[in-house]
Amino acid sequence: MILSELGAAVETLSGVGPAAAKKFASLNIFTVADLLSVFPRDYEDRTKRIPLRDYVNFPKVHTICKVTAHQWFGYGKMKTLKIAITDGSANAWLVAFNRDFLEKSLPEGSIIAVTGKFETKYNELQSSSFEASRISFDGNLADFENIPVPDSAVIPIYPLTEGLTQKVYRKTVAQALKQYAKNISNEIPDKIIKERNLLNKSEAILFVHQPQTLNQAQEARKTLIYEELYLFEYKMLERALMHRGTLPLQDFVPEAYPYFSTPDSETGLEQIRNEFQKSLSPRQKQIFSSLNFELTLDQMNSILEMNRDIDKSQTECNTMLNAPQKLSKPPFSMQRLLQGDVGSGKTLVSFFVCARTIDYGGQCAILAPTELLARQHAENAAKLLEPAGIKTAFLTGNLKASGRQSLLNALRDGNIDIVIGTHALFSRNTQYKNLQLAVIDEQHRFGVTQRESIISKGRISFKHMAHSPDLLMMSATPIPQTLALTAFGDLDISVIKTMPKGRLPVKTYLTVFGNERNVYEAIRKELNAGHQAYFVYPRIAENPQAEQTEKTSLKSAEEMFDFLSKEVYPNFKCALIHGKTDDEQQAEILKKFSSGNIQVLVATTVVEVGVDVPNATCIAIEHAERFGLAELHQLRGRVGRGKFQSYCFLTYSKNITETGISRLKALHQSNDGFFIAEEDLKLRGPGEVFGTAQSGYFALNIADLSRDKEILKTARYNALCQLKQRNP
Ligand code: ADP
Ligand code: MG
């Protein structure tokens, strides 16, 4: 039987009455399976004898004593028993608050086992937090050293609730183990257990709860962590197999992850370039020849990978429609995550993928989280794709009724090849003639249901099979590897690590408040040289409800716009933009900033995504401690987009926290989004990094995604091999 099948109620264990059962229930423990799946949060090593004399050097004394006297102090309800003890190394007192019953169970003259925290108080060695029990012993009382301490073991410490003691908890677990542990069967293949030197599940469960040594507890945990991650990955991969007919292969060779090898040699590069050019479809070719820069190697690699996906998807969709008997598995469609650093050119890659889909006669949708970003994509698409004969359109919720209807009609009739927009793309009355590719930019802003909503607009069902449109999800900044393998473990992953040629790494400076003037002057030099700058603030306006201290200490975009435009940069054209600026005005301001008619843009985080102005070389982020690490990195990505040296100035206030400092240090230290993503995970944990939309993925019991990264990789690899064997 596997652990989760031990469905007997906790109450059926001997010694567990309704009251205790209720306590366990409040810890969400109802069955034996639940009970045995909650692992100790810590262990106490009581295998060694610690005499009273050594109380300072150990957290707890663990020894055998003789009770030499009883004493009472206090009156009435406060009356308390004190028990004098000695273990031959020292004398001490047990102070038995509310434990009058010890008078009988630990009588004068008896020999007792004592475990407790001792301290010197009022010139006496004493303990009020102790466990003591009488032992039967016949031997030489003078010779304390030779009396073995009973129950010498590693003691598990469980997370408790009020009214439930460790003692009762342990006894209950012991009962469960006695009755059931032997019958718990393995959930991972025996072959893997052998190969990886793991324990059998029944042993692991026994040792995690009742280890003989700390080492054994460690061994047990290792097995359980591996098992949890293996089963997680196995399920994830199995699901991928079911839904799309193939396993994701990006990391089949674990050494190749992260991120496929980038050939260093010229010949390797030449090879990929040739292969890339050969693989291009007519419209892709046209776009390629119109570029006035070179694609990076990783861009080419990503496009190549997706070209293969699209071809396979189209072929299998056709087979489903024309000769379904030939398909033994559901028809394949692309489900791929494209991740890469900010500014690495992901959008362009997605345009190439769209072009191929259009060459097959399909329609594409590019979904962006904000109007601003969608508009930017739409403008780029129009510039780059219309010359290749691709019909593009921009659709957002704000579109006026008449224009909207004709656009929707065109989309329905197939007169639009690519539609770019926000949530409107999957609203109820948006219909497609033949949607075959959905691109989701900044995918972390969308939940699973929204992803499904857009996909469902193009799903084709035939008999009992279905073919989904191809899906390309793009990340804003890199995703830590462990999150990629769990949250996105069912997807193929393409990675862009190389930046476009000629980009210089942004120089990042940290400044404490009080020295902003230096920052303003440094930026003035850049402005004088004809460049442009962003200033970013954590909020739009002064909050009238805020505490007076906060009001005066926290800068806002509005207030700073006033100050910067009037006092600091009166000779430059400044503008203000934030979430409450209406969409048309936002577009207008960005257009002017883009064309250089505005030099200083004062903003909130609305400029985090989608603003692409290569001539902007400075970004000052004030109150940097108020922003998340990924957010800061993304903001910094607004500069360094051209061939000029760019600068990022982070000003922070004096009351910055420890983690705040760590965040800024990480940014100061590195421009590499992959490094920063890992740091972010360390500082915040997976649930936070990912946001609530998909945090359910991380309900792990014993494994930890930042600590157990290596185990995760092996477990996933083993799960892949196993599935591959079964589904050749
Ligand atoms: P992100 O990956 O952050 O979405 P973008 O797609 O916005 O990045 O690209 C950033 C900028 O780099 C755009 O102006 C784009 O035109 C440009 N770009 C993309 N690829 C290249 C390249 N290979 N060489 C030079 N510039 C490029
Ligand atoms: Mg982007």
Side-chain angles (χ1 to χ4, degrees):
M1 208 183 264
I2 65 171
L3 178 59
S4 59
E5 290 167 349
L6 299 177
V10 174
E11 238 174 310
T12 61
L13 295 167
S14 74
V16 181
K22 224 168 137 188
K23 296 286 175 204
F24 278 111
S26 74
L27 291 169
N28 275 326
I29 296 173
F30 303 97
T31 64
V32 170
D34 297 337
L35 181 71
L36 294 181
S37 306
V38 175
F39 305 132
R41 62 173 163 78
D42 204 357
Y43 299 92
E44 218 174 275
D45 188 356
R46 293 190 193 168
T47 52
K48 274 204 274 320
R49 181 189 189 111
I50 313 290
L52 285 168
R53 183 185 49 213
D54 290 346
Y55 77 97
V56 218
N57 302 325
F58 295 91
K60 283 190 175 176
V61 160
H62 184 56
T63 186
I64 299 288
C65 299
K66 182 174 175 177
V67 176
T68 54
H70 282 188
Q71 246 184 38
W72 293 87
F73 69 99
Y75 297 96
K77 273 194 181 152
M78 304 294 288
K79 203 167 151 231
T80 299
L81 172 67
K82 271 175 81 178
I83 303 169
I85 55 170
T86 177
D87 72 346
S89 75
N91 302 328
W93 290 97
L94 300 176
V95 185
F97 289 113
N98 299 319
R99 290 200 264 179
D100 292 357
F101 58 88
L102 292 179
E103 182 182 25
K104 287 229 172 62
S105 55
L106 309 176
E108 275 180 52
S110 60
I111 302 298
I112 63 173
V114 175
T115 305
K117 221 161 90 186
F118 280 81
E119 56 185 344
T120 315
K121 238 182 179 175
Y122 317 114
N123 270 332
E124 294 173 351
L125 185 57
Q126 55 163 254
S127 172
S128 54
S129 149
F130 62 89
E131 290 166 42
S133 55
R134 187 172 182 178
I135 59 173
S136 55
F137 170 74
D138 28 56
N140 184 4
L141 278 186
D143 192 4
F144 278 98
E145 298 286 318
N146 292 331
I147 305 177
V149 189
D151 297 330
S152 276
V154 175
I155 306 292
I157 316 283
Y158 292 96
L160 292 180
T161 180
E162 198 174 343
L164 194 61
T165 62
Q166 291 289 348
K167 219 165 167 178
V168 169
Y169 200 119
R170 279 178 214 139
K171 250 169 73 185
T172 312
V173 170
Q175 274 298 330
L177 287 171
K178 205 166 114 196
Q179 247 175 293
Y180 296 100
K182 272 201 303 292
N183 305 328
I184 299 176
S185 48
N186 290 331
E187 288 173 65
I188 51 183
D190 291 342
K191 188 173 138 272
I192 293 181
I193 292 180
K194 245 207 217 108
E195 263 170 29
R196 307 228 59 79
N197 249 328
L198 303 174
L199 301 172
N200 282 314
K201 181 71 178 274
S202 60
E203 279 175 313
I205 288 295
L206 188 64
F207 293 164
V208 82
H209 290 290
Q210 294 183 336
Q212 301 285 308
T213 60
L214 283 181
N215 222 356
Q216 205 174 48
Q218 223 36 52
E219 283 291 295
R221 297 184 83 86
K222 197 180 103 189
T223 293
L224 294 169
I225 290 169
Y226 178 90
E227 186 205 48
E228 178 166 47
L229 293 173
Y230 175 89
L231 295 176
F232 182 97
E233 288 295 335
Y234 192 90
K235 262 194 227 124
M236 164 90 70
L237 293 167
E238 206 175 30
R239 205 164 50 220
L241 193 62
M242 220 161 66
H243 285 236
R244 40 180 282 189
T246 58
L247 288 165
L249 291 177
Q250 83 269 12
D251 56 343
F252 194 68
V253 183
E255 299 74 43
Y257 197 96
Y259 322 133
F260 41 70
S261 50
T262 310
D264 298 324
S265 69
E266 266 308 308
T267 41
L269 194 91
E270 205 43 52
Q271 231 171 359
I272 287 185
R273 203 177 280 136
N274 281 339
E275 196 186 335
F276 173 76
Q277 289 191 18
K278 259 200 284 178
S279 85
L280 295 178
S281 70
R283 284 183 177 81
Q284 287 183 318
K285 245 184 217 132
Q286 251 177 296
I287 298 168
F288 181 66
S289 59
S290 75
L291 293 177
N292 54 8
F293 48 73
E294 247 201 279
L295 290 176
T296 65
L297 187 64
D298 286 349
Q299 282 177 317
M300 288 193 276
N301 256 327
S302 305
I303 295 167
L304 257 173
E305 288 177 315
M306 289 188 244
N307 280 351
R308 285 184 212 120
D309 285 355
I310 301 285
D311 293 351
K312 186 167 175 194
S313 172
Q314 290 290 340
T315 311
E316 296 208 355
C317 184
N318 274 334
T319 312
M320 176 185 86
L321 295 174
N322 299 319
Q325 71 283 358
K326 284 195 189 150
L327 282 180
S328 58
K329 294 185 283 199
F332 172 87
S333 53
M334 175 167 87
Q335 290 188 29
R336 194 170 275 275
L337 174 75
L338 174 61
Q339 60 158 327
D341 217 333
V342 47
S344 61
K346 295 183 288 284
T347 318
L348 185 57
V349 170
S350 74
F351 286 169
F352 270 91
V353 183
C354 289
R356 193 179 198 85
T357 303
I358 294 161
D359 275 329
Y360 273 111
Q363 285 176 306
C364 312
I366 301 181
L367 179 63
T370 65
E371 170 114 14
L372 201 74
L373 180 54
R375 187 187 296 271
Q376 182 101 15
H377 285 339
E379 281 165 10
N380 286 337
K383 248 188 291 176
L384 200 67
L385 305 181
E386 296 273 354
I390 294 172
K391 284 163 281 175
T392 69
F394 177 48
L395 174 65
T396 70
N398 289 334
L399 207 62
K400 305 271 178 324
S402 59
R404 181 184 192 80
Q405 198 47 55
S406 65
L407 198 159
L408 287 179
N409 292 344
L411 196 58
R412 187 198 55 209
D413 299 340
N415 295 326
I416 290 171
D417 299 315
I418 302 186
V419 63
I420 298 163
T422 55
H423 296 70
L425 295 193
F426 54 82
S427 78
R428 204 153 34 92
N429 43 18
T430 305
Q431 287 170 29
Y432 298 79
K433 172 129 195 263
N434 185 16
L435 178 68
Q436 289 184 18
L437 170 68
V439 177
I440 304 183
D441 196 14
E442 311 267 330
Q443 59 75 29
H444 64 289
R445 308 263 193 116
F446 295 95
V448 179
T449 17
Q450 294 168 318
R451 197 194 302 171
E452 172 55 27
S453 306
I454 183 111
I455 286 294
S456 68
K457 296 272 178 194
R459 189 168 288 135
I460 306 170
S461 295
F462 188 76
K463 303 220 161 139
H464 55 275
M465 278 195 257
H467 181 260
S468 298
D470 295 311
L471 173 67
L472 169 59
M473 306 211 289
M474 301 201 282
S475 69
T477 54
I479 293 164
Q481 188 183 357
T482 45
L483 296 203
L485 292 182
T486 46
F488 301 108
D490 54 345
L491 303 182
D492 288 312
I493 299 182
S494 294
V495 179
I496 307 185
K497 278 206 113 173
T498 45
M499 281 293 188
K501 258 206 193 112
R503 300 251 178 102
L504 295 167
V506 178
K507 288 190 177 160
T508 301
Y509 298 94
L510 306 181
T511 314
V512 69
F513 269 124
N515 301 332
E516 301 95 299
R517 275 281 162 189
N518 299 339
V519 173
Y520 302 159
E521 290 317 307
I523 291 177
R524 186 190 307 283
K525 280 194 197 129
E526 282 295 301
L527 294 173
N528 283 333
H531 295 307
Q532 292 159 280
Y534 301 89
F535 283 83
V536 180
Y537 296 91
R539 58 153 115 176
I540 299 175
E542 199 177 82
N543 177 2
Q545 262 115 54
E547 297 280 325
Q548 196 55 38
T549 48
E550 167 120 307
K551 208 190 238 174
T552 47
S553 67
L554 195 61
K555 298 178 180 180
S556 70
E558 275 184 359
E559 167 200 10
M560 287 306 290
F561 168 70
D562 255 12
F563 176 70
L564 291 168
S565 59
K566 289 188 189 131
E567 312 273 328
V568 186
Y569 304 120
N571 302 328
F572 295 101
K573 191 107 182 56
C574 304
L576 172 68
I577 189 171
H578 51 63
K580 292 204 179 129
T581 316
D582 80 58
D583 292 328
E584 310 239 308
Q585 213 181 336
Q586 275 191 10
E588 187 61 32
I589 292 171
L590 283 181
K591 211 162 157 194
K592 282 190 181 158
F593 189 62
S594 228
S595 61
N597 290 327
I598 290 170
Q599 282 97 46
V600 175
L601 191 59
V602 182
T604 57
T605 51
V606 284
V607 295
E608 185 186 346
V609 295
V611 185
D612 185 22
V613 180
N615 188 48
T617 55
C618 297
I619 184 162
I621 305 170
E622 301 210 46
H623 294 294
E625 75 278 2
R626 297 235 160 195
F627 299 89
L629 188 46
E631 204 175 18
L632 288 169
H633 179 63
Q634 179 78 16
L635 280 168
R636 177 169 62 179
R638 291 313 104 206
V639 299
R641 295 183 154 245
K643 52 186 187 295
F644 317 106
Q645 177 62 57
S646 293
Y647 307 91
C648 170
F649 301 96
L650 304 170
T651 23
Y652 58 94
S653 55
K654 290 199 177 86
N655 57 8
I656 185 171
T657 60
E658 279 294 313
T659 44
I661 291 172
S662 308
R663 283 202 294 268
L664 298 192
K665 271 192 182 151
L667 278 167
H668 181 62
Q669 195 182 334
S670 177
N671 272 300
D672 178 358
F674 290 85
F675 168 81
I676 285 169
E678 296 289 339
E679 287 303 295
D680 201 21
L681 178 62
K682 263 190 237 156
L683 291 170
R684 284 198 298 167
E688 288 293 307
V689 167
F690 224 48
T692 43
Q694 291 140 339
S695 59
Y697 285 112
F698 305 108
L700 293 169
N701 186 11
I702 186 168
D704 173 316
L705 288 183
S706 64
R707 181 194 61 202
D708 301 324
K709 182 168 160 179
E710 292 310 312
I711 305 181
L712 173 67
K713 282 197 271 184
T714 347
R716 179 178 169 92
Y717 177 63
N718 292 150
L720 262 168
C721 292
Q722 197 66 22
L723 271 163
K724 222 174 151 71
Q725 238 171 39
R726 290 198 194 155
N727 308 275

